[in-house]
């Protein structure tokens, strides 16, 4: 008898088989803030890419809500342009023609009751015309000050109501608050209307393939985990460097700064995934519980002056072009103290990590765009080689290359061919482009699909958000009271103070 038959369920047909495409059931997505940059560059293209990959249901509906005086056709034309400009997969007319059937636009402001009644009527119409079954996700791609009013309006107009067997979900973009207190207030507002399992907070880094792969690397293999601890690891460096400036985002960025913009969310999530224990399962609760344990065990060094650095880009040269400094950007107060660079040192008070520093840094207008996690190992406790043989030998490292050159590098020493014993660093590389034929989906494709499927694994919970603010708040308060960010020329690797911070610990930043 064939083992497939004998073992009960045929794995090729098992509906729980993780290799089968996960296709969303009848549903629709309503985007608030649909005229914004995020919607145009990421959300609309991601919806199209999902449709193009056959992962959306046939009657999938997309509703835009905004102040603009648009008709359905104007909205569809806007989506069309966004898709043509930013979608990952090729444009196919037949996919577009199907998608357009379910596109609607509702004009109004967030405090306009009539507009929310029109939204309700639109959803009912779509349920009939498109078979969406009352299942709708509301994507709040709006500034945080507008969260409360939109959430309240959804409640007031019965749009959050799941009675009748359909589902309603709220998708909330960052920034989730400005500090712990405002995050707690926002959480309160959200949870007065939605149950925890109806709320999906976006941290788009968690939607990246390379970030999900951290868990595969650590927990699907045997060779990394035994050395993934204080007995072998010297320190961990997490870098998110961008070459762009703030572009047209002065209104959002000034007063927020690099630490709130990306350390509070993306970098602390990367740190949590790197440092956490193996979860009991890959269910949302088990994952979140382990991440929360790590975030709860993070300790700030006592001397915040010596273990944090913030910077602000000055003018300089980047990619052969002369660029202006932050204070000269449109819409920025010439006295602004906003950080466009931040580096912090954290420790994790638990048995695995005691005494191992985690250095996190991020900045705009740095040397080049790169995000990576480098686990740097201790030097060999004893070397039988001459000192001169190992002059060019660095520390072993496992580097998770999150982007743009996705993959993993292992750095170790190797004998240089020749008659003498000279040892130098070499790399062993895994590159996505070489190992896999399929290109990675965009983070937002994965996250929007997960929202429609109700799969919460890749979405930070309330507690994670609050724990992250608890880590950042004292740093921001310290910075508020002490001086100004150090200036660094655009196109460099940040302020000299950041190099000094590591040099004091006898270490240096990697130059990726
Ligand atoms: C966003 C930040 O969350 O992430 C931006 O608000 C930043 O300031 C962006 O530019 C970077 O995302 P990615 O995916 O390009 O690394």
């Amino acid at each position: 008898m064939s083992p497939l038959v004998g073992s009960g369920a045929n794995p090729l047909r098992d509906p729980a088989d993780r290799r089968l495409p996960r296709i969303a059931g009848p549903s629709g997505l309503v985007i608030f803030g649909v005229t914004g940059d995020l919607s145009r560059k990421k959300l609309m293209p991601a919806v199209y890419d999902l449709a193009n990959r056959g992962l959306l249901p046939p009657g999938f509906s997309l509703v835009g809500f905004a102040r603009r005086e648009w008709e359905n056709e104007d909205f569809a034309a806007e989506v069309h342009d966004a898709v043509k400009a930013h979608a990952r997969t090729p444009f196919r007319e037949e996919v577009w023609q199907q998608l357009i059937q379910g596109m609607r636009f509702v004009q109004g402001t967030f405090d306009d009751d009539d507009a929310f009644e029109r939204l309700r009527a639109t959803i009912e119409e779509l349920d009939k015309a498109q078979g969406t079954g009352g299942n709708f996700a509301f994507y709040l791609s709006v500034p945080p000050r507008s969260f409360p009013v939109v959430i309240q309006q959804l409640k007031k107009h019965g749009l959050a109501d799941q009675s009748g067997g359909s589902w309603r979900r709220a998708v909330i973009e960052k920034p989730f608050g400005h500090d712990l207190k405002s995050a707690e207030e926002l959480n309160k507002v959200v949870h007065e209307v939605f149950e925890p399992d109806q709320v999906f907070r976006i941290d788009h880094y968690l939607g990246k393939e390379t970030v999900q792969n951290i868990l595969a690397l650590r927990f699907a293999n045997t060779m990394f985990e035994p050395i993934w601890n204080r007995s072998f690891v010297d320190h961990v460096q997490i870098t998110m460097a961008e070459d762009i400036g703030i572009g047209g985002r002065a209104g959002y960025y000034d007063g927020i700064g690099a630490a709130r913009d990306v350390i509070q969310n993306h970098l602390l999530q990367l740190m949590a995934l790197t440092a956490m224990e193996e979860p009991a399962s890959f269910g949302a609760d088990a994952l979140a519980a382990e991440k929360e344990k790590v975030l709860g065990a993070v300790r700030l060094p006592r001397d915040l002056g010596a273990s944090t650095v913030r910077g602000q880009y000055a003018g300089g040269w980047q990619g052969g072009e002369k660029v202006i400094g932050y204070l000269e950007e449109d819409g920025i107060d010439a006295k602004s103290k906003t950080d466009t660079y931040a580096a912090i040192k954290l420790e994790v008070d638990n048995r695995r990590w005691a005494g191992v520093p985690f250095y996190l840094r991020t900045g705009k207008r740095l040397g080049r765009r790169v995000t990576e996690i480098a686990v740097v190992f201790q030097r060999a406790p004893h070397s039988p080689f001459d000192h001169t043989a190992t002059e060019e030998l660095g520390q072993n490292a496992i580097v998770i290359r999150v982007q743009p050159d996705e993959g993993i590098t292992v750095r170790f020493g190797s004998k240089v061919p020749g008659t003498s014993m000279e040892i130098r660093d070499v790399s062993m590389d895994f590159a996505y482009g070489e190992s896999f034929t399929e290109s990675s989906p965009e983070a937002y494709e994965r996250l929007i699909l997960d929202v429609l499927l109700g799969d919460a694994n890749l979405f930070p919970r309330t507690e994670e958000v609050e724990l992250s603010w608890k880590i950042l708040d004292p740093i921001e308060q310290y910075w508020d009271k002490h001086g100004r960010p150090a200036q660094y020329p655009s196109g460099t690797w940040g302020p000299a103070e950041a190099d000094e911070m590591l040099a004091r610990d006898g270490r240096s930043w990697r130059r990726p």
Side-chain angles (χ1 to χ4, degrees), residues 42 174 204-205 208 240 242 244 249 252-253 261-262 265-266 364 369 371 403 444:
K42 300 288 184 189
K174 60 174 274 271
H204 80 280
Y205 264 59
K208 293 183 191 272
M240 176 189 165
E242 294 187 280
I244 50 168
R249 295 167 82 218
Y252 159 75
Y253 200 84
D261 184 35
V262 301
N265 36 75
H266 309 327
K364 298 222 182 261
R369 174 172 180 255
T371 300
Q403 65 186 28
Y444 279 98

Side-chain angles (χ1 to χ4, degrees), residues 67-139:
R67 221 173 2 197
R68 222 52 75 88
E69 297 282 343
W70 278 348
E71 299 295 330
N72 288 340
E73 298 71 39
D74 303 310
F75 174 55
E78 190 71 13
V79 182
H80 186 266
D81 288 354
V83 167
K84 283 260 168 136
H86 301 290
R88 183 177 62 88
T89 59
F91 189 82
R92 288 200 292 147
E93 192 58 36
E94 63 273 27
V95 173
W96 175 253
Q97 286 306 330
Q98 184 163 4
L99 201 53
I100 207 173
Q101 303 296 320
M103 265 182 225
R104 304 286 186 276
F105 183 72
V106 176
Q107 194 276 333
T109 53
F110 299 148
D111 55 2
D112 178 354
D113 283 326
D114 291 344
F116 277 81
E117 276 307 302
R118 285 197 296 278
L119 176 60
R120 204 166 57 83
T122 301
I123 285 177
E124 280 167 12
E125 180 259 320
L126 284 169
D127 282 344
K128 290 201 190 90
Q130 294 285 104
T132 34
N135 303 319
F136 276 84
F138 300 100
Y139 200 120

Side-chain angles (χ1 to χ4, degrees), residues 144 175 177-178 251-262 326 338-339 476:
H178 190 77
Y252 159 75
Y253 200 84
D254 204 39
I256 297 267
R260 286 193 178 98
D261 184 35
V262 301
Y326 180 73
T338 299
D339 48 305
E476 292 284 356

Side-chain angles (χ1 to χ4, degrees), residues 161-220:
D161 183 8
Q162 302 199 97
S163 57
S166 57
W167 56 253
R168 295 292 159 97
R169 296 176 185 142
V171 187
I172 303 183
E173 260 298 334
K174 60 174 274 271
F176 202 78
H178 190 77
D179 52 17
L180 177 61
K181 188 162 171 281
S182 56
E184 283 170 348
E185 279 161 12
L186 272 179
N187 276 328
K188 199 161 158 262
V189 170
V190 171
H191 290 304
E192 267 163 17
V193 177
F194 290 99
E195 294 298 323
D197 66 352
Q198 288 179 277
V199 181
F200 293 74
R201 289 180 192 77
I202 297 274
D203 183 320
H204 80 280
Y205 264 59
L206 297 181
K208 293 183 191 272
E209 276 294 337
T210 43
V211 173
Q212 294 163 48
N213 195 36
I214 298 171
L215 297 183
L217 174 82
R218 294 191 53 199
F219 303 127

